[in-house]
Amino acid sequence: MTMKPRNGEHPIGDAGQLILFLCFMIVWVGDSFFLRISTFGSADLPLSIRLILMVFVMILAIYLAKAGHVVTKQEDRAPGVVSTGAFRYVRHPLYLASLLFYFGLAVSTACLFCFGLLLVMVFFYDYIARYEEKLLEVKYGEDYLHYKKNTGKWVPKLKSIRTNA
């Protein structure tokens, strides 16, 4: 059985994200608040620092998620490659927002199991992002290649930050 892509997304993208979300939340809640097997590092890093870092990361994740939803509202979306809002800094702001959300939770309790699971999630998100980028290259051709060259996949390129500031 082969799955067909939906709206330029990887066929297992949504299911994979849901499964990883559930796994992460089970591990985070289970280890952070009940088992406390891998949270021994929390004693070395003060709660205030962990919470400040978590809040900063969560604010960035919320910005990326909100600004990245411009492509999901088809009626408001301009034709062609979207390179405004969060898309002027990174090519996958919604995926990056998800990863930052998980990072913020992992930092808040210093859960090492969560950091390990986060590494798996980074590989998964990168896998589906590569798939989607191939579709976008076919759909938009040279315009997308130019955008890809000038915009970071996960981390903003300094050049694009300076020219857009």
Side-chain angles (χ1 to χ4, degrees):
M1 173 172 109
T2 59
M3 293 194 228
K4 293 183 181 179
R6 301 177 314 114
N7 296 327
E9 296 176 3
H10 194 285
I12 64 164
D14 289 342
Q17 290 177 71
L18 179 59
I19 291 166
L20 287 171
F21 169 76
L22 292 173
C23 289
F24 187 92
M25 294 309 291
I26 289 167
V27 169
W28 183 67
V29 169
D31 192 46
S32 298
F33 302 106
F34 298 105
L35 301 174
R36 294 188 176 108
I37 297 169
S38 76
T39 59
F40 53 85
S42 64
D44 297 328
L45 192 57
L47 179 61
S48 59
I49 291 175
R50 288 184 281 136
L51 292 180
I52 288 169
L53 181 57
M54 181 196 77
V55 167
F56 173 75
V57 168
M58 292 296 190
I59 289 170
L60 182 57
I62 290 167
Y63 164 75
L64 289 170
K66 184 174 165 106
H69 270 91
V70 88
V71 297
T72 61
K73 299 176 186 173
Q74 293 299 327
E75 65 275 359
D76 297 337
R77 186 172 172 236
V81 177
V82 176
S83 59
T84 59
F87 287 92
R88 72 178 165 220
Y89 302 114
V90 292
R91 298 193 303 265
H92 302 281
L94 293 172
Y95 294 161
L96 182 57
S98 295
L99 292 170
L100 288 171
F101 169 79
Y102 297 123
F103 178 77
L105 290 180
V107 163
S108 71
T109 59
C111 177
L112 295 179
F113 289 157
C114 290
F115 285 113
L117 189 52
L118 182 60
L119 188 58
V120 171
M121 296 170 99
V122 167
F123 284 110
F124 174 77
Y125 277 96
D126 191 63
Y127 170 75
I128 60 176
R130 279 185 280 129
Y131 173 89
E132 293 171 6
E133 286 191 344
K134 288 177 187 172
L135 295 177
L136 291 168
E137 287 174 14
V138 170
K139 185 173 183 176
Y140 296 112
E142 196 60 42
D143 286 344
Y144 189 77
L145 292 173
H146 176 75
Y147 169 72
K148 189 175 173 180
K149 178 183 171 197
N150 293 305
T151 309
K153 186 175 191 177
W154 300 112
V155 177
K157 291 186 176 182
L158 290 177
K159 176 182 161 189
S160 66
I161 292 174
R162 278 190 241 123
T163 59
N164 288 318

